[in-house]
Structures are given as structure tokens and as C-alpha cells.
Amino acid sequence: MNGKEFIESIKLSNDIQCTIDSCDFIQETNMLYIRGWVFSIKEDEIKFDTTKSNVIIDAGLSRYDVYKAFEEKYKSSLYSGFLLSISDVQNKERIGFKLSAGEEVVEYQLDISKIVKKNKKYRKELYKSVFNRVYFKRGINYLKRNGFKRFLIKSLEVSKRLFFSISNTTEVYDPTIAYFKWMDCNEVYDETIVKNELSALKIKPLISIVIPVYDVEEKWLRKCIESVMNQYYVNWELCIADDCSTKEHVKRVLEEYKNKDARIKVFYRDENGHISKASNSALSIANGEFVALLDNDDEIPKWALYEVVSLINKFPQAELIYSDEDKIDTRGNRIEPHFKPDWSPDTMLSCNYITHLCVIKKQIVDDIGGFRVGYEGSQDYDIILRASERTKNIYHIPKILYHWRMIEGSTSMSINNKNYAYLASIKVLEDAIIRRGEKALVKEVEGLPIFHVSYFPKKDDYISIIIPTRNGADILRKCLVSIYEKSSYRNFEIIVINNGSTEESTFELFKEYNQKENFTIYDLDIPFNYSKLNNMAAEKAKGNLLLFLNNDIEVISENWLDELAGQAGREHIGAVGVKLLYPNNKIQHCGIVLGAGGVAANAYSGMGNIETEYIFRLNSNYNFAAVTAACMMVRKKLFFEVGGFTEELAVAFNDVDFCVKVLEKGYYNICIPRIKLYHHESISRGADVTLEKIERFSGEVKYMENRWSKWIKSDPFYNPNFSLKTPYFHIEESKARKPFFDIKNKSE
């Protein structure tokens, strides 16, 4: 229930500014959650009061959006967020609230019965909107146009949305609340048990925690150092380099802690050299087997090194380890968790998604020469990329082991801060491309702190575009026209597989396009089998690159073939996909999440763009587990190396199955969201609902579950802390699933 429905009942004063963002009443548990923001223009302290006694108030939450909305005029707005959790709320209850600041008072009442009433009305309207003659006819027409597979998938999709809407009309996903619940479920450590486990470990490496320090505020420096001293794991050393700080408290604090704990070592630089030189000075006094990177105002939780060393004992070959992280404001509130994928080399070229906590084998750090001067602001990005080129033993711990401090002037608060860091990132990426012997351009993504690396196709790349079709001349014509008229890359052929067309208009279209030198039609009149049709066409294709394309695709981005070919030609890349949009510009596909909704689901399907994405997923090149074959490019050699499409999967999941076969061979699949195509989803095949088709679909589901169980249980590119109820990167509020490396290791 959106708070805007209640805003009119709040008597706003000239001083107190207040908004309710969401008001969620959970009838099953009689819990009411109210989320919003409030602050005093006069900077007076805000006091909450309510007619209910059983209220938990989380106030002073960071609201940087409010701070920006008021043009950064009022500092109190920066920590104006609140979350009220009220238990034992009854359906017919009226709850009174009072907010006061100095002499100003705001009062309002919340009528729970109105919320419940609106929910009932909403459910009634929802049933009416779905179960009527108009939608019944639309359903039958959709079945005739798209075939049983798509009808079944669409029906399940609508049913899920309907069920979710009816049963959770007031429980809208709120990432802040979800993260609070996640912390309660997943950050439960018994100190006695942890220490017993640590004492039993065979490998107990010395970990050197490297901190460059310069003029940091005393309170943040103390919190940073103490977060290390509080670690459950004790075999560490803290290597601090003071970069000639000008503030007198820095040396005093460092000396104090140095005298407290012999594991703390300090290097005092004679001159300020900036962060790369300071970090190298800290490295010069490090004796550990591993190096951990920590900023001088950030914190790590007590269990951080315990988790790192536990992984090292499980996988002694590990040489580069990273964890998930969140942000922590100046009041200690933890927000904006970054749940990361397992090692994703191409995602890493879009942005430094690893950042913190990062632990690297000291020998590798020494071999690559430590931190490079001239890359300040992105020195961590640079060293991680260079280290990743020296090892394949890269492991991800899907737990929050780092808290990135949000303070004024920090990049954790705004991408506009430290602009030199953004420019340094471009230099880091350009160096990496040259070092790796690749040809590409690093392009900025307007308004976002990410990059688009655009690779050039090879001179002799020839693309075979394979399009299966049956009737539907108008649909196919739109597809062909868009390819010929909009494609900037011209070195291609089009192979149309005619799968039993019967309409004269389709044959006339074939005759028209057959006059083109790079257009070929093959007839294969067999019962529809997507895999068999495409495998046959691939055998006949002349190109070294194969592009599988649905006949209902329409080109938007003119450079689509250039970008696809540039990526597909890279040695470590498997299948390449793009962002597909419905005609209303909502997302149809931007990568596939394994396990979501069952076997797999399209990421963000049906959603908008930037306003719904999680950490730039919809705008940066991203290593997904799979991409749809509605538009998928792959090297012909690799296609046959993995055996092409599995012909037992005639209709469903053949693209997912193919992509997982590619992953099993050690390649990475990638989606390029900067390239957009329309997917009209008007496949020209008709189909009847038959028992045979239901059994076929059920068999394909069983095939996937039997063959790819470990991948479906834990997609390595979809963090186990995300829910599988949807493919929207929503935080799982209960216990996290097992990480992929645990499942894979156990099964092998």
C-alpha cells in the first residue's frame, strides 16, 4: 500500500517535512511496517510518538535521495529516513502518530480498516479484470498465434502475478526491509562455535591487512582499526602506511594502537605520494601469505577473516578471494547491499564490481609490482584486473564481509565525487585491453559509473543469420527489412528454414528475397523441433559466426551485428545475447537466471529499465548463465564442439541447455544490454492444446532438472542471497541458498 494514499491526512507545518513512502499491513502476522522520511528545516531533533506501545523505531536512516531532492540545503535530511515496525495491529484499529520538532507538531491517524477495505476492493477488481470474456478470447487467440509452449509459459506467468497480487496486495517488495530481514536470518555467528572451528583448521595463513591512511577523521580511523582487532580469526597483521597526514590526531591514534597490539605495524612516509604509493609502502612491511585491502574509514565485521580462512581451507588453491559488501552511514546504519556474482570477467570490464573485501595471494601482488602510480582513485580496480590475469583460482564468498563508509566526498555516496577516479578507470580498462592483445573501445555510459567495452569484429568474420519460420509473412518481412536496412555490418548471409509453410504470401516473400545473393531458403517439413531445425541450418552455414534469430525480431540498434561479432570472436566467450524489448519498450529479455521460477526465467522480464535494475544489470555487459536463442550468436566451431542444440528438447529450454553446455566447457556467456531489438512475440506457428504437448513440456522440464541440477540449484551469476521466486534480483529474506562452488564441489 503506497503511502501517498495517506499523505493528505498529515498536517504539514512550515518546519517539519514528512512523507510516508510505504505502509504495509501483513494480516497474517498483524504487523504494520511504515517507511518514510521526516526532518526539521530548522535542524531541530525529531521526536516520534504513537498511541501504540509495541513499536520498534529505526530512525536516522540514510536518505541521500531526500538530501539531493532538497538541493543539499538541509543536513538533517541526509539522515531523515525511518522505519516503524508495529506489532499486534488489529483490522479495525486507528493508530495515532505525533511528530514534534521544537515547538512544531504534526499529527495524523492511520485507519487500518481502510487499508484492508482497499485490499478487498483491489482483489475484486483484479478478478474482474482477468476472468472475463474479453481476456478469455485473447487467451485463445494468443494460443493460436504463439503455440502451446508460449501459451503455457504465459499462463503460468499471469497466474503467478495474479496469485502474488491477491495474496500480497500490501506487501510490496522493499529492499530496505528485505535487507533487515536478511541480516536477521543470515548473520548469526556463535563466537564459541566459530573459535572451535578455527582451532580445528589445518591451514591458518597470516593475512596482511593493508591500509593507506591520510587525514582521515579520528572516529572513522578508530572504528576501522578496531574492526580488525575484533576479528574472530587472530593470525593477521595490520600494515598501515601514513601518507604524511597533516592532521595531528592521525599519528597519535596510530601510535596508540601500535602500542596496544604487536600485530599492528605503521610505516610513516616522509612525503605525500597519494594512495598508490602509500599502499605500496604498506605492502613493503607486509609478511603475510595473503593481502587484504581495507580503506581507512571502512569496517569489516568480526567474522570476515574467519569466512576467508574457512574458504582457503576448503579450496587451498584459492589465490584471489572477494566477498559481498554493503554501505554504512555515519550513524552506523547498513544499507545498499551489493550481492555479487561469482567470477565474471566481462562484468568486471564494465565496472569494478569486486571492490571490497578483496584478498589476494601476496606472491601475485609482488609479481605484478603492487599498485601502479598514475592510477590513483582506481588503483584497486587496476590491481584486481592484473591479478586476475595471473590466476584462474578466483573465489567469491557470497556474504557481507565489508562495510563501505558513506561520508561526504566519498564515491560510496555519489558517482560525481572523486571524478579523477572515474577517469582513472578508463585508463585502467584501456591498459587491460592492450595488455590482453584485444581490439576494443572503452565507452562511457552517460549518467552511470560504468563502461561499455565495444570489441571490433575480425576482418574475415562472416555471420550466418539463421531464422526458422512457418507462414506469417508480415512478421518475417518486418524482421528481414530491419536486418537489411538497419545493419551497419554487411558481411552476413541469411538462412531461412521453412518449416512447413502453407500460405501463398509466405512463398511470395521467399521468391522476393531469393533474388538477394546472401539469402538462402531451406525446406524442412517436419514436426516442429527448434533444435533440429537450427542444427540442420548450422551444418549448411558458410559463416564462422552463427546468429540464431526468431522471425519476430525487429532491429533497433544499427551496430547490433558489430557488437555481437566483436564479443563472439573472443576466445573465452561462449554465447552472446542482447536486450530484447516488447513493443511497449518493457523488457522481454536481458539475460537468463537459472532456477528462477523453476528451471529458468528471463531477467527483469516485463519490467522497465533503469528504475528497476540492480547495480546496473540492465545497462552493463554482464556474464549471465544463459541468454535466449531468440537472438544468440556463437562461433560455429564452438557450436559443434558442444554438440549444437539438444534435439530431445524440441521446444523448451534448448537455448538454456546449450548455454550450460558452453559453461561446462569453461566459456562465459554474455548479454550486451546496450544493444536493443524488439521481440514482437508473435511466432507464426499455430498449435492445439494436446496431451502430447503437455507431456512433452513436462519431459523437457525433467530433462533439465536431471541433467543440470547443480546449475539450477545455484546459478553462479545470480547470488544465492537473491530469491528464486522472481528473476528480479530481489533479496531472499530467509536463509541464503548454498553457493555454486559448494554444490559443484559436492556433486563432483
Side-chain angles (χ1 to χ4, degrees), residues 464-484:
S464 295
I465 303 174
I466 297 170
I467 308 174
T469 195
R470 182 180 187 272
N471 295 324
D474 291 343
I475 296 167
L476 180 59
R477 179 183 293 278
K478 183 179 286 188
C479 175
L480 294 174
V481 167
S482 72
I483 294 171
Y484 280 109

Side-chain angles (χ1 to χ4, degrees), residues 281-346:
S281 295
L283 281 174
S284 70
I285 57 174
N287 296 313
E289 187 180 345
F290 289 88
V291 171
L293 310 180
L294 179 61
D295 288 347
N296 61 190
D297 49 8
D298 298 340
E299 299 177 37
I300 55 176
K302 293 179 180 180
W303 49 84
L305 297 185
Y306 155 71
E307 291 288 358
V308 170
V309 175
S310 295
L311 182 134
I312 292 170
N313 274 265
K314 204 178 277 187
F315 305 101
Q317 70 274 21
E319 293 182 306
L320 195 162
I321 303 162
Y322 65 96
S323 75
D324 298 339
E325 65 184 297
D326 64 11
K327 294 176 183 176
I328 186 169
D329 65 22
T330 55
R331 305 219 180 158
N333 299 307
R334 290 172 52 193
I335 58 172
E336 298 181 25
H338 185 183
F339 291 115
K340 306 166 188 176
D342 285 358
W343 174 238
S344 306
D346 303 288

Side-chain angles (χ1 to χ4, degrees), residues 148-209:
F148 180 70
K149 171 198 168 184
R150 292 186 176 276
F151 172 77
L152 183 60
I153 292 171
K154 191 74 172 178
S155 300
L156 291 171
E157 203 174 87
V158 171
S159 298
K160 279 182 183 178
R161 288 177 186 168
L162 177 63
F163 176 77
F164 182 80
S165 298
I166 291 171
S167 60
N168 298 282
T169 49
T170 58
E171 195 173 7
V172 179
Y173 174 73
D174 185 314
T176 303
I177 294 175
Y179 188 42
F180 287 158
K181 292 180 180 179
W182 179 90
M183 285 189 278
D184 287 342
C185 287
N186 292 280
E187 293 188 340
V188 182
Y189 290 84
D190 184 302
E191 187 170 350
T192 302
I193 294 174
V194 168
K195 288 185 175 179
N196 287 338
E197 288 180 1
L198 285 170
S199 64
L201 293 179
K202 292 182 179 179
I203 305 172
K204 299 176 183 178
L206 175 64
I207 297 179
S208 299
I209 301 169

Side-chain angles (χ1 to χ4, degrees), residues 186-281:
N186 292 280
E187 293 188 340
V188 182
Y189 290 84
D190 184 302
E191 187 170 350
T192 302
I193 294 174
V194 168
K195 288 185 175 179
N196 287 338
E197 288 180 1
L198 285 170
S199 64
L201 293 179
K202 292 182 179 179
I203 305 172
K204 299 176 183 178
L206 175 64
I207 297 179
S208 299
I209 301 169
V210 170
I211 307 180
V213 171
Y214 180 72
D215 279 357
V216 61
E217 282 190 54
E218 181 172 343
K219 58 183 175 181
W220 306 137
L221 180 57
R222 288 185 180 278
K223 282 187 174 293
C224 176
I225 294 172
E226 287 172 8
S227 75
V228 176
M229 295 176 69
N230 291 333
Q231 291 298 300
Y232 293 140
Y233 182 71
V234 296
N235 194 21
W236 54 262
E237 62 175 6
L238 189 52
C239 303
I240 301 173
D242 175 39
D243 196 19
C244 205
S245 294
T246 61
K247 294 182 179 179
E248 82 60 42
H249 70 263
V250 174
K251 186 169 185 178
R252 171 171 50 80
V253 171
L254 294 181
E255 285 297 307
E256 175 190 331
Y257 284 105
K258 177 183 172 184
N259 293 329
K260 272 185 182 179
D261 196 319
R263 295 172 296 179
I264 299 176
K265 303 190 287 188
V266 183
F267 184 107
Y268 292 103
R269 291 178 50 80
D270 295 329
E271 61 179 8
N272 179 264
H274 214 325
I275 194 165
S276 292
K277 286 185 177 180
S279 297
N280 285 334
S281 295

Side-chain angles (χ1 to χ4, degrees), residues 498-746:
N498 175 31
N499 185 213
S501 293
T502 57
E503 296 173 356
E504 187 60 34
S505 58
T506 302
F507 295 123
E508 289 175 2
L509 180 67
F510 290 165
K511 185 178 179 181
E512 176 186 338
Y513 274 89
N514 236 348
Q515 298 174 31
K516 294 182 178 289
E517 290 183 5
N518 63 343
F519 185 89
T520 308
I521 300 169
Y522 292 106
D523 294 318
L524 192 59
D525 191 5
I526 61 172
F528 180 72
N529 184 314
Y530 179 89
S531 298
K532 191 172 288 186
L533 292 173
N534 282 288
N535 285 345
M536 186 274 283
E539 291 279 1
K540 297 179 179 296
K542 300 173 185 175
N544 63 306
L545 300 175
L546 305 177
L547 175 57
F548 301 98
L549 197 70
N550 277 21
N551 66 348
D552 57 352
I553 292 292
E554 181 183 357
V555 176
I556 300 174
S557 304
E558 293 182 358
N559 61 332
W560 70 302
L561 292 179
D562 307 74
E563 290 280 352
L564 282 164
Q567 288 285 0
R570 299 168 67 208
E571 289 184 5
H572 75 281
I573 291 293
V576 186
V578 301
K579 182 188 289 181
L580 300 181
L581 302 176
Y582 291 113
N584 64 0
N585 288 314
K586 294 289 185 180
I587 293 163
Q588 191 270 332
H589 165 274
C590 194
I592 292 175
V593 175
L594 303 182
V599 173
N602 287 348
Y604 289 114
S605 180
M607 305 295 280
N609 197 26
I610 292 179
E611 71 276 8
T612 58
E613 70 175 344
Y614 181 83
I615 318 288
F616 318 120
R617 295 294 192 273
L618 295 173
N619 288 278
S620 57
N621 292 349
Y622 192 85
N623 292 119
F624 276 95
V627 294
T628 179
C631 177
M632 181 178 78
M633 185 177 285
V634 65
R635 296 188 299 282
K636 183 176 181 180
K637 182 180 178 182
L638 175 56
F639 181 79
F640 288 109
E641 180 185 334
V642 300
F645 291 111
T646 301
E647 295 186 2
E648 291 92 326
L649 299 172
V651 179
F653 308 123
N654 33 58
D655 46 8
V656 177
D657 171 77
F658 175 82
C659 286
V660 180
K661 289 194 291 185
V662 168
L663 292 176
E664 289 268 297
K665 288 283 188 178
Y667 298 97
Y668 287 87
N669 301 318
I670 186 173
C671 182
I672 316 172
R674 305 295 293 174
I675 298 302
K676 303 171 189 175
L677 310 176
Y678 281 125
H679 189 188
H680 292 279
E681 280 216 309
S682 300
I683 301 299
S684 53
R685 307 195 62 82
D688 296 320
V689 180
T690 65
L691 180 61
E692 179 187 353
K693 287 183 171 59
I694 294 172
E695 289 176 348
R696 189 255 321 139
F697 181 75
S698 176
E700 288 170 335
V701 169
K702 287 179 182 177
Y703 177 94
M704 294 296 292
E705 290 175 341
N706 290 335
R707 185 170 187 185
W708 305 121
S709 171
K710 67 185 179 186
W711 293 88
I712 292 172
K713 285 179 181 176
S714 189
D715 181 336
F717 306 100
Y718 191 72
N719 194 292
N721 293 296
F722 290 134
S723 171
L724 288 177
K725 293 174 186 174
T726 72
Y728 301 147
F729 296 82
H730 286 174
I731 298 168
E732 177 59 70
E733 297 173 7
S734 57
K735 198 72 175 173
R737 302 184 307 282
K738 285 186 177 181
F740 177 74
F741 61 73
D742 269 358
I743 292 174
K744 185 178 181 183
N745 194 52
K746 187 175 180 181

